[in-house]
Amino acid sequence: MSEKTFPLSKTELEELSKTYPTPFYLYDEKAIRNNAREIIRAYGLFPGFKEHFAVKALPNPFILKILAAEGFGADCSSLPELLLAEMAGIKGGDIMFSSNNTPAAEYREARRLGAVINLDDFTHIEFMEKNAGIPELVSCRYNPGPLKSGNAIIGKPEEAKYGFTREQILAAYPLLRDKGAKRFALHTMVASNELSLDYHIETARMIFELAVEIKEKTGISMEFVNLGGGVGIPYRPEDKAVDYQGLAKGIETAYRSIIVPAGLAPLGVRIEWGRTVTGPHGWLVTRAIHAKNIYRNFIGLDACMADLMRPALYGAYHHITVPGKESETFTEIFDVTGSLCENNDKFAIRRTLPKIVPGDFVILHDAGAHGRAMGFNYNGKLRCGELLLRNNGSIVQIRRAETAEDYFSTLDRDALRDFNSSVR
């Protein structure tokens, strides 16, 4: 079972909302740091271990700075994410650049920062050579196709747009060596939000075996393997959180049975977790503003799917609690909705909850990853801000809420004036 808690009382929320009106995201620095330390404690048994936090999960330099202080690097997939890592003081080999369908300018920026470039396609070897040059250290992303199952979020590997086939991988490393690369790494990412330890251990075995095969067939040794991310979190109270120690021990067993006998030790091991690092330690804080009773009972919030789109996009579950009503009996059945002009703008469907009335705070749990990061502006909706609960109990704003001026800021006002004068 996973206990769903929130670090502030209703009284504290009332006071906080006087300065920062809902909706907003709140992240818990202490909990994030403690979680980061647990990850490093579990995986520290591997040589050259590095966790590259998946910036896409929570792209805020305040959070990246906290994680960098705990020894984390960054996993980036775009030019702005590379700049965010640099802004947080993360540079060089502590950055892995795992992009796909990559523009030339992004390869050049990754080279400037000294990031480890993780190629997504065989044709990108020539493309990168032409536009950014071949780095000394280069990684390739493996897609096992039908040899490995995926899940609902990331899809089946053989249907995914990511990575090299096994045959392409075996051809890629000698070609990279011929073009000047001297150090090599291997990467895979085949699932998202997966709670099964066996699944992740099996993934490690697969990539260890491939590293051995590459050595046997090409003579090229990997400096490290990156096992990717994809470790899930217990969104539902009945879910069980992943045991970091148990997972690391299972992967170590595979390492000792595959890598050590092949003479490839010490092979570095890296990961790129995002969701499991910050996800459970962030909340979307919102208020009920309307109650509607037609064919169903609806509670309308001042947040919408522009603030948290996972339920609408994936049918994802986010636990909901109502501050001040934690001990009340759950007697009501609601669809919990936002105000977007889309009927799937729902945080919960037919959810059993305590009685909610306009003015009540509503907390959506486990929103600290892939929440604010996936926000958008459809319907002219303005994305909410982000707050950080510091170790000392103070709360600071780490991203303000958007304003209407932000929404209009990319319009060319001069061109609009000229256009207006020409239109009759």
Side-chain angles (χ1 to χ4, degrees):
M1 294 291 289
S2 172
E3 184 181 6
K4 301 300 179 184
T5 61
F6 182 70
L8 303 181
S9 67
K10 180 182 178 182
T11 301
E12 290 170 323
L13 268 183
E14 290 284 9
E15 190 63 29
L16 182 63
S17 66
K18 293 176 183 177
T19 304
Y20 304 109
T22 56
F24 55 78
Y25 276 89
L26 178 71
Y27 310 116
D28 186 338
E29 177 183 359
K30 183 177 181 181
I32 290 171
R33 284 185 181 272
N34 287 341
N35 193 29
R37 292 167 188 173
E38 287 296 322
I39 293 168
I40 289 176
R41 187 174 298 115
Y43 276 78
L45 55 86
F46 293 107
F49 173 70
K50 174 65 71 171
E51 147 65 359
H52 298 270
F53 177 71
V55 176
K56 64 179 177 285
L58 210 177
N60 190 300
F62 289 79
I63 301 299
L64 299 183
K65 191 74 175 179
I66 288 169
L67 294 173
E70 297 297 334
F72 282 24
D75 169 69
C76 302
S77 57
S78 69
L79 191 149
E81 288 185 359
L82 287 167
L83 297 178
L84 280 169
E86 184 181 30
M87 195 181 299
I90 304 172
K91 296 182 180 181
D94 285 344
I95 301 174
M96 277 206 73
F97 182 59
S98 296
S99 179
N100 69 90
N101 198 29
T102 308
E106 298 194 354
Y107 278 134
R108 287 193 289 268
E109 183 65 15
R111 290 296 313 274
R112 180 185 75 81
L113 290 173
V116 178
I117 293 177
N118 185 36
L119 293 171
D120 184 70
D121 184 69
F122 189 87
T123 65
H124 289 202
I125 298 172
E126 182 179 349
F127 183 83
M128 181 176 67
E129 180 184 32
K130 177 181 176 181
N131 291 284
I134 300 294
E136 178 180 301
L137 169 61
V138 66
S139 175
C140 296
R141 177 173 181 168
Y142 174 54
N143 181 334
L147 299 178
K148 183 77 174 172
S149 63
N151 61 15
I153 294 178
I154 203 169
K156 298 177 181 178
E158 69 266 32
E159 297 174 358
K161 66 176 182 175
Y162 308 111
F164 293 64
T165 66
R166 175 178 161 276
E167 291 75 16
Q168 289 173 335
I169 280 277
L170 291 170
Y173 287 108
L175 178 60
L176 285 162
R177 178 183 57 193
D178 293 346
K179 290 180 177 295
K182 296 179 174 59
R183 300 158 58 206
F184 305 92
L186 178 63
H187 169 279
T188 196
M189 174 77 176
V190 290
S192 182
N193 194 38
E194 179 58 60
L195 292 169
S196 167
L197 266 63
D198 288 343
Y199 185 97
H200 295 294
I201 293 167
E202 177 191 335
T203 299
R205 291 189 64 88
M206 175 190 74
I207 210 71
F208 291 156
E209 289 170 351
L210 181 57
V212 172
E213 183 179 6
I214 292 168
K215 173 63 175 177
E216 290 174 346
K217 292 184 176 179
T218 71
I220 294 172
S221 296
M222 297 297 109
E223 185 170 312
F224 67 85
V225 294
N226 185 327
L227 304 178
V231 172
I233 62 175
Y235 284 103
R236 296 177 181 270
E238 62 268 26
D239 290 340
K240 183 180 179 182
V242 168
D243 173 8
Y244 300 159
Q245 295 283 347
L247 179 54
K249 289 293 185 182
I251 294 172
E252 182 191 28
T253 298
Y255 186 99
R256 292 189 178 279
S257 66
I258 299 169
I259 296 301
V260 174
L264 297 184
L267 173 71
V269 172
R270 303 188 185 190
I271 56 177
E272 54 183 46
W273 292 3
R275 184 191 315 271
T276 196
V277 178
T278 58
H281 313 302
W283 302 264
L284 176 56
V285 180
T286 177
R287 276 190 193 267
I289 56 174
H290 292 289
K292 180 173 182 174
N293 302 304
I294 47 173
Y295 306 105
R296 290 186 179 184
N297 295 330
F298 297 91
I299 288 294
L301 306 182
D302 59 7
C304 69
M305 67 182 280
D307 299 302
L308 178 63
M309 71 182 299
R310 294 189 69 255
L313 183 63
Y314 303 123
Y317 178 96
H318 282 268
H319 196 65
I320 293 174
T321 57
V322 183
K325 298 185 177 181
E326 292 86 354
S327 61
E328 290 191 10
T329 305
F330 285 26
T331 58
E332 310 296 319
I333 298 177
F334 294 115
D335 280 16
V336 182
T337 76
S339 58
L340 208 67
C341 294
E342 294 288 339
N343 197 45
N344 65 340
D345 180 19
K346 297 181 180 181
F347 298 111
I349 298 174
R350 306 290 288 168
R351 183 79 61 86
T352 303
L353 294 164
K355 184 175 179 61
I356 301 174
V357 297
D360 281 344
F361 287 106
V362 175
I363 308 298
L364 285 96
H365 291 255
D366 301 304
H370 308 288
R372 175 59 171 74
M374 296 176 75
F376 57 96
N377 289 125
Y378 179 62
N379 258 181
K381 293 298 181 181
L382 304 174
R383 290 171 289 188
C384 67
E386 297 173 300
L387 308 179
L388 179 66
L389 175 62
R390 300 300 312 275
N391 286 339
N392 62 6
S394 65
I395 294 177
V396 296
Q397 180 175 253
I398 60 174
R399 189 191 300 274
R400 64 168 174 78
E402 289 182 333
T403 66
E405 185 58 34
D406 293 325
Y407 182 73
F408 297 127
S409 65
T410 53
L411 289 173
D412 188 324
R413 301 293 182 94
D414 293 335
L416 181 60
R417 281 191 293 270
D418 293 341
F419 183 78
N420 287 340
S421 65
S422 68
V423 175
R424 295 290 185 266

